[in-house]
Amino acid sequence: MSATPQRRGAAASASGVPGNGSGAPGRNFGEEGGRLTYGAYLRLPTLLDQQVLESDPPARDELLFISIHQVYELWFKLLLHELGEIRRAMTDDEVWLARHLFRRVHAVERILVDQIQVLETMTPQDFMAFREKLAPASGFQSVQFREMEFLSGHKDPGFLKRFRGLTDDEKERLDRRLAEPSLWDAFVMLLRRRGLAAGNDDEISESLVTVAHDRNGHDDLWQLAEDLMTHDEMAALWRQRHVTMVERQIGTKSGTGGSTGAPYLRSRLDLRYYPLLWELRTLL
């Protein structure tokens, strides 16, 4: 009857771990749990205290609206971190790492698109019950979203003039994103370090054709270019789903931030971060 405990003790002694199962000598995760809890690690009391409704009496779907958009901002924070790491990896010639992180980025971007269907469970009537409380706030004012666009390669200084209520910190962040290299800049610099001409758009296009036709010599560059394309495509899919959702909710009403609403969003549907990669398809 004592064979099983003896075997456990022998295995623990052989591994140098006194039977704690943690894989680290002298540690017991069961006891350490008393020092740091799940809620404390994730700052859950603070996080879950941030869904403050503006409507009075509380509108039924305002919690849904706030939660969805706060979750978006959390995903944006992660994407900014990963895209920054991708840029650094390209600069350091770590193409394998850039490609690995792009897989994570693409997975998150698919969630961003799918998440819209949760918001679409809110009826127009339920949205109108609290929509007037949003003005003049608007998704147009998402600083992190603009940071992602600037980092991806779509740099429009005019957005800074159209933003309302920017803090000094937010303006500094956007100015920095405008001044620093984009993902496309890092990719072009990588082409040059590989001995490919990339002085202007025509040279870049010719080099992209070379990369496409020489997969034996440039497959990592081709695959990285495809990752950039997927990032661009996922952004386009999100814009398409977003404008459709807005039209389903408010039709052609003006946005709460003063924009034209859906017509403005539709004007951005043809935006491309990397037009030369899209044009490459015609050249092949």
Side-chain angles (χ1 to χ4, degrees):
M1 297 295 291
S2 62
T4 300
Q6 288 175 350
R7 281 199 295 271
R8 286 202 192 104
S13 298
S15 66
V17 182
N20 58 30
S22 69
R27 297 188 66 181
N28 190 309
F29 281 112
E31 293 178 358
E32 291 178 13
R35 304 176 204 169
L36 180 64
T37 66
Y38 174 83
Y41 177 68
L42 297 177
R43 306 292 195 271
L44 288 184
T46 301
L47 178 65
L48 299 179
D49 195 38
Q50 303 308 304
Q51 295 74 48
V52 181
L53 277 59
E54 293 289 336
S55 56
D56 185 20
R60 180 178 59 206
D61 282 1
E62 190 176 2
L63 177 60
L64 166 68
F65 186 88
I66 292 173
S67 298
I68 285 289
H69 287 82
Q70 288 183 344
V71 169
Y72 266 122
E73 291 296 329
L74 289 173
W75 284 129
F76 293 165
K77 182 174 182 177
L78 177 62
L79 286 174
L80 282 170
H81 172 75
E82 302 299 353
L83 292 173
E85 283 296 294
I86 288 170
R87 182 183 58 189
R88 184 204 58 76
M90 285 195 284
T91 301
D92 293 345
D93 292 310
E94 294 179 319
V95 175
W96 67 270
L97 179 57
R99 297 213 58 229
H100 167 70
L101 295 177
F102 257 130
R103 288 196 294 273
R104 181 177 301 163
V105 165
H106 299 157
V108 172
E109 289 172 331
R110 291 185 181 94
I111 292 174
L112 296 183
V113 175
D114 289 342
Q115 196 168 287
I116 290 176
Q117 65 182 316
V118 180
L119 197 55
E120 285 182 329
T121 64
M122 178 176 61
T123 68
Q125 302 94 307
D126 290 330
F127 186 32
M128 292 305 163
F130 65 90
R131 183 176 183 256
E132 65 179 19
K133 298 292 184 180
L134 302 180
S138 168
F140 181 87
Q141 298 164 337
S142 171
V143 173
Q144 290 196 118
F145 183 79
R146 297 307 170 194
E147 284 189 85
M148 285 197 304
E149 287 197 331
F150 292 174
L151 178 55
S152 296
H154 180 63
K155 296 184 177 183
D156 182 356
F159 275 121
L160 272 67
K161 299 177 181 178
R162 297 191 291 272
F163 266 105
R164 294 181 180 179
L166 277 179
T167 66
D168 291 341
D169 175 70
E170 290 170 337
K171 185 177 186 305
E172 188 278 329
R173 282 160 48 193
L174 290 171
D175 284 335
R176 176 168 55 84
R177 295 294 184 187
L178 284 172
E180 69 186 15
S182 67
L183 292 177
W184 181 249
D185 294 328
F187 180 71
V188 170
M189 288 188 286
L190 181 59
L191 292 178
R192 291 171 185 158
R193 290 197 302 275
R194 294 293 182 89
L196 296 163
N200 53 47
D201 285 356
D202 288 340
E203 288 185 353
I204 294 172
S205 292
E206 291 178 8
S207 293
L208 290 174
V209 171
T210 299
V211 167
H213 287 304
D214 185 9
R215 299 285 295 280
N216 285 329
H218 298 300
D219 186 65
D220 62 337
L221 293 178
W222 169 258
Q223 297 297 341
L224 185 58
E226 289 293 277
D227 288 333
L228 286 165
M229 276 283 286
T230 301
H231 173 53
D232 201 349
E233 182 179 10
M234 294 308 300
L237 288 174
W238 185 87
R239 286 189 292 270
Q240 177 62 58
R241 286 289 283 115
H242 183 224
V243 68
T244 303
M245 180 271 294
V246 169
E247 290 173 333
R248 177 171 180 160
Q249 292 292 338
I250 66 171
T252 58
K253 291 185 177 72
S254 298
T256 51
S259 74
T260 59
Y264 163 75
L265 296 174
R266 284 213 165 270
S267 73
R268 290 173 50 81
L269 290 182
D270 291 333
L271 171 64
R272 293 288 184 266
Y273 292 150
Y274 315 117
L276 294 184
L277 293 181
W278 293 92
E279 294 169 9
L280 174 62
R281 273 63 189 162
T282 304
L283 303 176
L284 295 180

